[in-house]
Amino acid sequence: CANCKTLEHTVLNTETISQLLASEGVVPMKVDITGNNPVGNAKLNELGRKTIPLLAVFRPDGEVEWKNDFYTVQNVVNAVESARAKPQAAAR
């Protein structure tokens, strides 16, 4: 969608975010719901959102630190830094 492409270009593909996503302890994932992807739609449902694009940042323990359908470079940096600051849960 146009909103997805705009945010990819103006936020996710910037040097700052590219470096952040390539750094240790960060695992970027992209889910494309084009063509009614059932796995992608299930993830949106799991996150309690229907709007796209959606960016979710998870803590090391798997809990959602932050999610939004509009974001800036600074939002992403802040969310990842905040998630990194949380202690990892003990192995289950």
Side-chain angles (χ1 to χ4, degrees):
C1 71
N3 289 342
C4 298
K5 297 298 182 191
T6 299
L7 286 170
E8 283 179 7
H9 178 71
T10 62
V11 177
L12 300 179
N13 292 339
T14 63
E15 186 65 27
T16 298
I17 299 303
S18 293
Q19 288 179 1
L20 181 65
L21 296 180
S23 64
E24 185 175 339
V26 176
V27 180
M29 288 181 267
K30 181 178 179 180
V31 177
D32 188 345
I33 62 168
T34 303
N36 197 25
N37 176 341
V39 174
N41 285 320
K43 182 53 83 176
L44 285 176
N45 286 331
E46 178 185 321
L47 291 169
R49 291 289 180 99
K50 295 286 186 186
T51 57
I52 58 169
L54 175 65
L55 178 73
V57 175
F58 294 85
R59 299 188 299 246
D61 65 3
E63 295 297 317
V64 175
E65 177 68 23
W66 181 86
K67 62 184 172 184
N68 210 319
D69 56 5
F70 180 79
Y71 41 88
T72 65
V73 168
Q74 196 60 54
N75 292 144
V76 178
V77 169
N78 291 347
V80 170
E81 288 177 354
S82 180
R84 282 180 162 166
K86 304 294 188 313
Q88 180 147 350
R92 296 174 200 186

